[in-house]
Amino acid sequence: MAFSCIFVKIILSLHTQIEIDMNKQYQELKVEEGVYIPQPALDYPENNPFERTLFPTFDRELVIDENYPYLNDSPSNISRMRWGYLFILKIGLNILLRVKMGLRIRGREILKKYKKEFSQGAITIANHVFRLDCPCVLLAVNAKHTTRIPMFAPNFRTKDSFFLSLVGGVPIPDSSSNMTALKKFNEAFDEFHRRGWWFHIFPEACRWDFYKPLRPFQKGAFTMSYKYNKPILPCVITFRERKGIYRLFGTKEIPLLTVTIGEPIFPDTTQPRKTEVDRLREVAHNQMIKMAGITHNPWPAAWDNL
C-alpha cells in the first residue's frame, strides 16, 4: 500500500509547471543547433546558483546526530533495499519514467569499456533538474542496491523520507549537529568505499527543475574522488520536446528526458589535494557542458561570490 501511495504522489507531482520569462542566464545561454531548451519551470535565481527554489513541508520528526544509522547493516534494511531496488526502481520507476518522461539512456557502452576501472566503485555526478533525476541516473548506470548518496539532511523530514532511504540516501549532518555526527557520517563512507560501493552526488547541490544551463559545482564529489581514488563518472540530463504519444502523459511544457553517460575522469592522487580537486571540478564541468550541447554556458565551474 505504501509503494502505491508513493507512485501516485510522484505521478501527480510531475504535472506541476509554471511558465515564466527567460532570466539573465537563459538570455546568455547558447547551444548547438537542434539542442532543445525547455520553457523554464521556475523564476530561477540570477545571483546565487546554490539558492534553493523548492520548499517542501517538513512534517516528520527525525534526529540526525551521532546516533543516526549512517551505516545500516541490519538484515531488514538490506532486504528492504534489495527488493526496493528491484521492484520500485528497476521495474516500477523504470516503466513510469520511460512512459511518462520518455526516458532514454545513451553511453552505456562506457560501463563495459571501463568495467575493470569501475570494479571498486565510482562516483556518478549529474545536473540536478528533476524530481526523479536520481532514479534516472541510477537506472542509466545499472546501479545496485549498494549505491550510497549523500543528501541534504532536512529532506529526510519530509514525505519523501522512505524513498530517499530506499535508493541509498544518507543524510549529511547539518550545522545543528555536532562534530561526532559528521565523524560517524565520514566513517560510514569510509566503509562503503572499502566495500567497493558506488556513490552518487549532485554537485549543483540543489534542484532547479528543467534548468538547461549547467550551474557551478560544489567540491564534495571531487573531494571524495581524491580521498578514495574513485573515478568520476559524469552523467548529463538533457531535454527533448514532448510530442506524439507522450502528449498523453504530460503537458507540452514538461520536456522528455535523456541521460547521457560520459567518459570517466580519474583523480591524480600524486598531486596536492586542493589542486587536484579544483582540476577535477573544472574538467567535469567543461565535459558536461559539451555533453549537454552547450556552446556558451553562463555559469563558471566554481562559484565563490557568496
Side-chain angles (χ1 to χ4, degrees), residues 68-274:
Y68 184 87
Y70 302 102
L71 176 61
N72 190 344
D73 280 337
S74 68
S76 61
N77 184 62
I78 294 173
S79 177
R80 180 188 64 163
M81 293 192 64
R82 187 186 302 274
W83 291 108
Y85 252 67
L86 175 60
F87 288 108
I88 293 183
L89 177 67
K90 296 198 173 182
I91 296 178
L93 283 176
N94 193 10
I95 295 172
L96 172 68
L97 289 166
R98 288 184 183 277
V99 171
K100 190 170 184 61
M101 301 303 296
L103 177 63
R104 293 179 184 172
I105 297 168
R106 303 186 186 281
R108 271 192 172 157
E109 64 276 6
I110 295 292
L111 302 176
K112 294 181 179 180
K113 180 180 177 181
Y114 293 96
K115 184 176 181 180
K116 180 180 179 181
E117 289 82 355
F118 296 156
S119 61
Q120 292 303 306
I123 301 174
T124 55
I125 61 173
N127 46 330
H128 204 357
V129 293
F130 177 57
R131 175 175 166 78
L132 294 177
D133 50 10
C134 181
C136 289
V137 175
L138 296 178
L139 288 168
V141 300
N142 290 319
K144 298 180 180 179
H145 70 280
T146 49
T147 301
R148 290 297 178 267
I149 309 166
M151 290 185 175
F152 183 56
N155 285 343
F156 286 80
R157 303 186 183 106
T158 72
K159 58 183 175 59
D160 291 333
S161 177
F162 172 81
F163 180 74
L164 298 180
S165 298
L166 186 72
V167 296
V170 181
I172 305 170
D174 55 32
S175 57
S176 64
S177 304
N178 57 38
M179 292 302 296
T180 305
L182 186 58
K183 180 181 178 182
K184 292 288 186 180
F185 172 88
N186 289 331
E187 288 174 349
F189 273 86
D190 290 344
E191 177 60 19
F192 299 147
H193 164 64
R194 189 191 68 78
R195 298 177 184 182
W197 291 5
W198 285 54
F199 303 155
H200 174 69
I201 298 175
F202 288 111
E204 292 176 328
C206 59
R207 187 179 107 216
W208 287 12
D209 282 347
F210 307 130
Y211 190 70
K212 179 60 182 179
L214 206 67
R215 288 179 284 144
F217 289 169
Q218 295 189 347
K219 292 184 178 182
F222 313 102
T223 300
M224 276 193 171
S225 175
Y226 182 87
K227 177 181 180 181
Y228 297 128
N229 196 20
K230 281 185 182 291
I232 293 286
L233 183 59
C235 300
V236 173
I237 300 171
T238 54
F239 312 104
R240 310 189 315 275
E241 182 180 0
R242 182 176 291 272
K243 54 187 178 180
I245 194 171
Y246 293 109
R247 290 293 301 273
L248 298 175
F249 307 106
T251 63
K252 185 177 180 180
E253 292 75 22
I254 300 177
L256 304 177
L257 304 177
T258 299
V259 178
T260 302
I261 303 170
E263 289 280 335
I265 305 165
F266 295 91
D268 182 355
T269 56
T270 66
Q271 297 298 313
R273 183 189 64 83
K274 184 181 184 306

